[in-house]
Amino acid sequence: IVLPITLPGLVAVGVVAFFYAWNEFLFAQTLIGDKSLKPASAGLASMITMLDTPIERLLAAGLVFSIPPIIFYIIMQRYIVAGISAGAVKG
């Protein structure tokens, strides 16, 4: 009985947590030493060098990096709107 009522709120919190974890750059760059364990955001930053920065590869990797959150948001959009507006309407 409780789960269907709280589902939009749980999904909204899950989406916010997903985007927070997806964009975690400073923690990964500072504390993770092994390159195979770093997330994609830290990998994109490691592609930038002082002498040779492959702009085409960097833009392609940035596009591939941004596609999963967009797809995830499109799928979860109705739950996000329901979760955000659940406490706003009285009645």
Side-chain angles (χ1 to χ4, degrees):
I1 294 174
V2 176
L3 187 62
I5 295 171
T6 61
L7 186 64
L10 290 174
V11 171
V13 169
V15 169
V16 170
F18 170 77
F19 282 115
Y20 180 75
W22 186 263
N23 291 324
E24 185 59 52
F25 175 75
L26 187 62
F27 178 75
Q29 192 70 17
T30 306
L31 299 178
I32 299 175
D34 189 11
K35 286 187 179 183
S36 65
L37 297 176
K38 288 188 178 184
S41 59
L44 284 173
S46 69
M47 291 178 67
I48 301 171
T49 62
M50 188 177 282
L51 298 176
D52 182 33
T53 302
I55 296 297
E56 298 84 14
R57 291 182 189 168
L58 188 64
L59 290 174
L63 180 66
V64 170
F65 178 70
S66 64
I67 288 175
I70 292 170
I71 292 172
F72 182 69
Y73 181 77
I74 289 171
I75 292 171
M76 296 295 172
Q77 183 176 8
R78 68 181 167 134
Y79 293 111
I80 294 169
V81 171
I84 291 172
S85 62
V89 179
K90 200 174 194 182

